[in-house]
PDB file of all heavy atoms in Angstrom:
ATOM      1  N   TYR A 379       9.259   3.488   9.235  1.00  0.00           N
ATOM      2  CA  TYR A 379       8.814   4.042  10.511  1.00  0.00           C
ATOM      3  C   TYR A 379       7.301   3.917  10.727  1.00  0.00           C
ATOM      4  O   TYR A 379       6.870   3.764  11.863  1.00  0.00           O
ATOM      5  CB  TYR A 379       9.292   5.535  10.650  1.00  0.00           C
ATOM      6  CG  TYR A 379      10.798   5.557  10.928  1.00  0.00           C
ATOM      7  CD1 TYR A 379      11.708   5.854   9.946  1.00  0.00           C
ATOM      8  CD2 TYR A 379      11.269   5.162  12.203  1.00  0.00           C
ATOM      9  CE1 TYR A 379      13.076   5.793  10.214  1.00  0.00           C
ATOM     10  CE2 TYR A 379      12.628   5.112  12.468  1.00  0.00           C
ATOM     11  CZ  TYR A 379      13.547   5.429  11.455  1.00  0.00           C
ATOM     12  OH  TYR A 379      14.886   5.375  11.731  1.00  0.00           O
ATOM     13  N   LYS A 380       6.566   3.942   9.646  1.00  0.00           N
ATOM     14  CA  LYS A 380       5.128   3.676   9.761  1.00  0.00           C
ATOM     15  C   LYS A 380       4.940   2.251  10.296  1.00  0.00           C
ATOM     16  O   LYS A 380       4.125   2.033  11.215  1.00  0.00           O
ATOM     17  CB  LYS A 380       4.481   3.827   8.362  1.00  0.00           C
ATOM     18  CG  LYS A 380       3.079   3.236   8.215  1.00  0.00           C
ATOM     19  CD  LYS A 380       2.015   4.085   8.900  1.00  0.00           C
ATOM     20  CE  LYS A 380       0.584   3.734   8.490  1.00  0.00           C
ATOM     21  NZ  LYS A 380       0.123   2.461   9.065  1.00  0.00           N
ATOM     22  N   ASN A 381       5.693   1.286   9.773  1.00  0.00           N
ATOM     23  CA  ASN A 381       5.593  -0.090  10.263  1.00  0.00           C
ATOM     24  C   ASN A 381       6.040  -0.206  11.731  1.00  0.00           C
ATOM     25  O   ASN A 381       5.425  -0.956  12.506  1.00  0.00           O
ATOM     26  CB  ASN A 381       6.448  -1.044   9.398  1.00  0.00           C
ATOM     27  CG  ASN A 381       5.878  -1.226   8.000  1.00  0.00           C
ATOM     28  OD1 ASN A 381       4.681  -0.923   7.772  1.00  0.00           O
ATOM     29  ND2 ASN A 381       6.709  -1.652   7.066  1.00  0.00           N
ATOM     30  N   LEU A 382       7.080   0.532  12.092  1.00  0.00           N
ATOM     31  CA  LEU A 382       7.575   0.517  13.484  1.00  0.00           C
ATOM     32  C   LEU A 382       6.480   1.115  14.389  1.00  0.00           C
ATOM     33  O   LEU A 382       6.282   0.576  15.511  1.00  0.00           O
ATOM     34  CB  LEU A 382       8.880   1.282  13.583  1.00  0.00           C
ATOM     35  CG  LEU A 382       9.603   1.264  14.923  1.00  0.00           C
ATOM     36  CD1 LEU A 382       9.890  -0.169  15.419  1.00  0.00           C
ATOM     37  CD2 LEU A 382      10.879   2.088  14.857  1.00  0.00           C
ATOM     38  N   MET A 383       5.824   2.114  13.947  1.00  0.00           N
ATOM     39  CA  MET A 383       4.740   2.722  14.740  1.00  0.00           C
ATOM     40  C   MET A 383       3.538   1.759  14.886  1.00  0.00           C
ATOM     41  O   MET A 383       2.981   1.620  15.953  1.00  0.00           O
ATOM     42  CB  MET A 383       4.266   4.020  14.141  1.00  0.00           C
ATOM     43  CG  MET A 383       5.320   5.137  14.332  1.00  0.00           C
ATOM     44  SD  MET A 383       4.761   6.730  13.717  1.00  0.00           S
ATOM     45  CE  MET A 383       3.510   7.084  14.932  1.00  0.00           C
ATOM     46  N   ASP A 384       3.211   1.093  13.778  1.00  0.00           N
ATOM     47  CA  ASP A 384       2.096   0.132  13.819  1.00  0.00           C
ATOM     48  C   ASP A 384       2.436  -0.994  14.810  1.00  0.00           C
ATOM     49  O   ASP A 384       1.557  -1.442  15.557  1.00  0.00           O
ATOM     50  CB  ASP A 384       1.820  -0.472  12.429  1.00  0.00           C
ATOM     51  CG  ASP A 384       1.180   0.550  11.504  1.00  0.00           C
ATOM     52  OD1 ASP A 384       0.654   1.564  11.976  1.00  0.00           O
ATOM     53  OD2 ASP A 384       1.193   0.306  10.269  1.00  0.00           O
ATOM     54  N   ALA A 385       3.695  -1.421  14.807  1.00  0.00           N
ATOM     55  CA  ALA A 385       4.093  -2.567  15.669  1.00  0.00           C
ATOM     56  C   ALA A 385       4.134  -2.173  17.132  1.00  0.00           C
ATOM     57  O   ALA A 385       3.952  -3.037  18.015  1.00  0.00           O
ATOM     58  CB  ALA A 385       5.460  -3.115  15.192  1.00  0.00           C
ATOM     59  N   THR A 386       4.410  -0.885  17.425  1.00  0.00           N
ATOM     60  CA  THR A 386       4.616  -0.497  18.805  1.00  0.00           C
ATOM     61  C   THR A 386       3.435   0.236  19.427  1.00  0.00           C
ATOM     62  O   THR A 386       3.434   0.498  20.644  1.00  0.00           O
ATOM     63  CB  THR A 386       5.871   0.398  18.951  1.00  0.00           C
ATOM     64  OG1 THR A 386       5.758   1.503  18.049  1.00  0.00           O
ATOM     65  CG2 THR A 386       7.131  -0.399  18.663  1.00  0.00           C
ATOM     66  N   LYS A 387       2.451   0.546  18.598  1.00  0.00           N
ATOM     67  CA  LYS A 387       1.253   1.298  19.090  1.00  0.00           C
ATOM     68  C   LYS A 387       0.629   0.549  20.255  1.00  0.00           C
ATOM     69  O   LYS A 387       0.343  -0.642  20.176  1.00  0.00           O
ATOM     70  CB  LYS A 387       0.270   1.435  17.969  1.00  0.00           C
ATOM     71  CG  LYS A 387      -0.942   2.319  18.277  1.00  0.00           C
ATOM     72  CD  LYS A 387      -1.731   2.616  16.997  1.00  0.00           C
ATOM     73  CE  LYS A 387      -3.134   3.123  17.251  1.00  0.00           C
ATOM     74  NZ  LYS A 387      -3.188   4.267  18.201  1.00  0.00           N
ATOM     75  N   ASP A 388       0.408   1.271  21.361  1.00  0.00           N
ATOM     76  CA  ASP A 388      -0.173   0.712  22.607  1.00  0.00           C
ATOM     77  C   ASP A 388       0.707  -0.407  23.237  1.00  0.00           C
ATOM     78  O   ASP A 388       0.257  -1.073  24.156  1.00  0.00           O
ATOM     79  CB  ASP A 388      -1.589   0.146  22.361  1.00  0.00           C
ATOM     80  CG  ASP A 388      -2.542   1.211  21.859  1.00  0.00           C
ATOM     81  OD1 ASP A 388      -2.396   2.376  22.292  1.00  0.00           O
ATOM     82  OD2 ASP A 388      -3.403   0.900  21.028  1.00  0.00           O
ATOM     83  N   LYS A 389       1.951  -0.586  22.752  1.00  0.00           N
ATOM     84  CA  LYS A 389       2.786  -1.636  23.283  1.00  0.00           C
ATOM     85  C   LYS A 389       4.129  -1.088  23.819  1.00  0.00           C
ATOM     86  O   LYS A 389       4.632  -1.571  24.824  1.00  0.00           O
ATOM     87  CB  LYS A 389       3.063  -2.704  22.217  1.00  0.00           C
ATOM     88  CG  LYS A 389       1.761  -3.372  21.772  1.00  0.00           C
ATOM     89  CD  LYS A 389       2.039  -4.520  20.828  1.00  0.00           C
ATOM     90  CE  LYS A 389       0.761  -5.231  20.475  1.00  0.00           C
ATOM     91  NZ  LYS A 389       0.265  -4.854  19.111  1.00  0.00           N
ATOM     92  N   ASP A 390       4.646  -0.116  23.105  1.00  0.00           N
ATOM     93  CA  ASP A 390       5.901   0.489  23.556  1.00  0.00           C
ATOM     94  C   ASP A 390       5.835   1.980  23.193  1.00  0.00           C
ATOM     95  O   ASP A 390       6.194   2.391  22.102  1.00  0.00           O
ATOM     96  CB  ASP A 390       7.108  -0.198  22.896  1.00  0.00           C
ATOM     97  CG  ASP A 390       8.419   0.511  23.247  1.00  0.00           C
ATOM     98  OD1 ASP A 390       8.414   1.438  24.066  1.00  0.00           O
ATOM     99  OD2 ASP A 390       9.447   0.119  22.682  1.00  0.00           O
ATOM    100  N   MET A 391       5.382   2.774  24.149  1.00  0.00           N
ATOM    101  CA  MET A 391       5.143   4.201  23.925  1.00  0.00           C
ATOM    102  C   MET A 391       6.431   4.938  23.609  1.00  0.00           C
ATOM    103  O   MET A 391       6.445   5.917  22.848  1.00  0.00           O
ATOM    104  CB  MET A 391       4.462   4.865  25.158  1.00  0.00           C
ATOM    105  CG  MET A 391       3.052   4.379  25.425  1.00  0.00           C
ATOM    106  SD  MET A 391       3.026   2.654  26.081  1.00  0.00           S
ATOM    107  CE  MET A 391       3.328   2.890  27.822  1.00  0.00           C
ATOM    108  N   VAL A 392       7.504   4.507  24.221  1.00  0.00           N
ATOM    109  CA  VAL A 392       8.772   5.226  24.048  1.00  0.00           C
ATOM    110  C   VAL A 392       9.283   5.072  22.604  1.00  0.00           C
ATOM    111  O   VAL A 392       9.660   6.064  21.954  1.00  0.00           O
ATOM    112  CB  VAL A 392       9.817   4.719  25.072  1.00  0.00           C
ATOM    113  CG1 VAL A 392      11.188   5.369  24.816  1.00  0.00           C
ATOM    114  CG2 VAL A 392       9.367   5.030  26.487  1.00  0.00           C
ATOM    115  N   THR A 393       9.259   3.833  22.101  1.00  0.00           N
ATOM    116  CA  THR A 393       9.701   3.628  20.717  1.00  0.00           C
ATOM    117  C   THR A 393       8.686   4.281  19.748  1.00  0.00           C
ATOM    118  O   THR A 393       9.092   4.872  18.741  1.00  0.00           O
ATOM    119  CB  THR A 393       9.830   2.121  20.414  1.00  0.00           C
ATOM    120  OG1 THR A 393      10.849   1.582  21.252  1.00  0.00           O
ATOM    121  CG2 THR A 393      10.199   1.880  18.944  1.00  0.00           C
ATOM    122  N   TYR A 394       7.434   4.159  20.070  1.00  0.00           N
ATOM    123  CA  TYR A 394       6.381   4.755  19.240  1.00  0.00           C
ATOM    124  C   TYR A 394       6.603   6.253  19.100  1.00  0.00           C
ATOM    125  O   TYR A 394       6.582   6.823  17.999  1.00  0.00           O
ATOM    126  CB  TYR A 394       5.014   4.484  19.864  1.00  0.00           C
ATOM    127  CG  TYR A 394       3.825   5.012  19.103  1.00  0.00           C
ATOM    128  CD1 TYR A 394       3.238   4.259  18.069  1.00  0.00           C
ATOM    129  CD2 TYR A 394       3.312   6.287  19.388  1.00  0.00           C
ATOM    130  CE1 TYR A 394       2.147   4.749  17.367  1.00  0.00           C
ATOM    131  CE2 TYR A 394       2.227   6.762  18.671  1.00  0.00           C
ATOM    132  CZ  TYR A 394       1.653   5.998  17.667  1.00  0.00           C
ATOM    133  OH  TYR A 394       0.573   6.502  16.969  1.00  0.00           O
ATOM    134  N   ASN A 395       6.889   6.909  20.223  1.00  0.00           N
ATOM    135  CA  ASN A 395       7.103   8.336  20.222  1.00  0.00           C
ATOM    136  C   ASN A 395       8.368   8.721  19.451  1.00  0.00           C
ATOM    137  O   ASN A 395       8.376   9.710  18.701  1.00  0.00           O
ATOM    138  CB  ASN A 395       7.183   8.808  21.689  1.00  0.00           C
ATOM    139  CG  ASN A 395       7.155  10.304  21.831  1.00  0.00           C
ATOM    140  OD1 ASN A 395       6.315  10.962  21.273  1.00  0.00           O
ATOM    141  ND2 ASN A 395       8.139  10.840  22.537  1.00  0.00           N
ATOM    142  N   MET A 396       9.414   7.961  19.605  1.00  0.00           N
ATOM    143  CA  MET A 396      10.656   8.197  18.861  1.00  0.00           C
ATOM    144  C   MET A 396      10.392   8.051  17.367  1.00  0.00           C
ATOM    145  O   MET A 396      10.824   8.896  16.567  1.00  0.00           O
ATOM    146  CB  MET A 396      11.736   7.217  19.325  1.00  0.00           C
ATOM    147  CG  MET A 396      13.042   7.370  18.545  1.00  0.00           C
ATOM    148  SD  MET A 396      14.131   5.929  18.709  1.00  0.00           S
ATOM    149  CE  MET A 396      13.284   4.799  17.611  1.00  0.00           C
ATOM    150  N   ALA A 397       9.686   6.958  16.995  1.00  0.00           N
ATOM    151  CA  ALA A 397       9.415   6.717  15.568  1.00  0.00           C
ATOM    152  C   ALA A 397       8.571   7.810  14.967  1.00  0.00           C
ATOM    153  O   ALA A 397       8.809   8.199  13.828  1.00  0.00           O
ATOM    154  CB  ALA A 397       8.726   5.335  15.385  1.00  0.00           C
ATOM    155  N   LEU A 398       7.651   8.365  15.764  1.00  0.00           N
ATOM    156  CA  LEU A 398       6.824   9.466  15.271  1.00  0.00           C
ATOM    157  C   LEU A 398       7.681  10.688  14.964  1.00  0.00           C
ATOM    158  O   LEU A 398       7.548  11.310  13.916  1.00  0.00           O
ATOM    159  CB  LEU A 398       5.748   9.835  16.298  1.00  0.00           C
ATOM    160  CG  LEU A 398       4.897  11.039  15.971  1.00  0.00           C
ATOM    161  CD1 LEU A 398       4.148  10.899  14.643  1.00  0.00           C
ATOM    162  CD2 LEU A 398       3.911  11.353  17.110  1.00  0.00           C
ATOM    163  N   GLY A 399       8.577  10.999  15.875  1.00  0.00           N
ATOM    164  CA  GLY A 399       9.475  12.159  15.661  1.00  0.00           C
ATOM    165  C   GLY A 399      10.318  11.980  14.408  1.00  0.00           C
ATOM    166  O   GLY A 399      10.500  12.923  13.605  1.00  0.00           O
ATOM    167  N   ILE A 400      10.842  10.762  14.246  1.00  0.00           N
ATOM    168  CA  ILE A 400      11.684  10.514  13.047  1.00  0.00           C
ATOM    169  C   ILE A 400      10.795  10.517  11.797  1.00  0.00           C
ATOM    170  O   ILE A 400      11.183  11.098  10.754  1.00  0.00           O
ATOM    171  CB  ILE A 400      12.464   9.197  13.186  1.00  0.00           C
ATOM    172  CG1 ILE A 400      13.441   9.261  14.381  1.00  0.00           C
ATOM    173  CG2 ILE A 400      13.240   8.895  11.910  1.00  0.00           C
ATOM    174  CD1 ILE A 400      14.155   7.952  14.682  1.00  0.00           C
TER     175      ILE A 400
END
Side-chain angles (χ1 to χ4, degrees):
Y379 286 103
K380 164 75 166 74
N381 290 341
L382 185 57
M383 289 184 69
D384 288 344
T386 54
K387 187 170 163 50
D388 300 325
K389 298 187 176 102
D390 175 5
M391 293 72 84
V392 175
T393 297
Y394 181 87
N395 190 50
M396 179 198 75
L398 174 59
I400 298 175

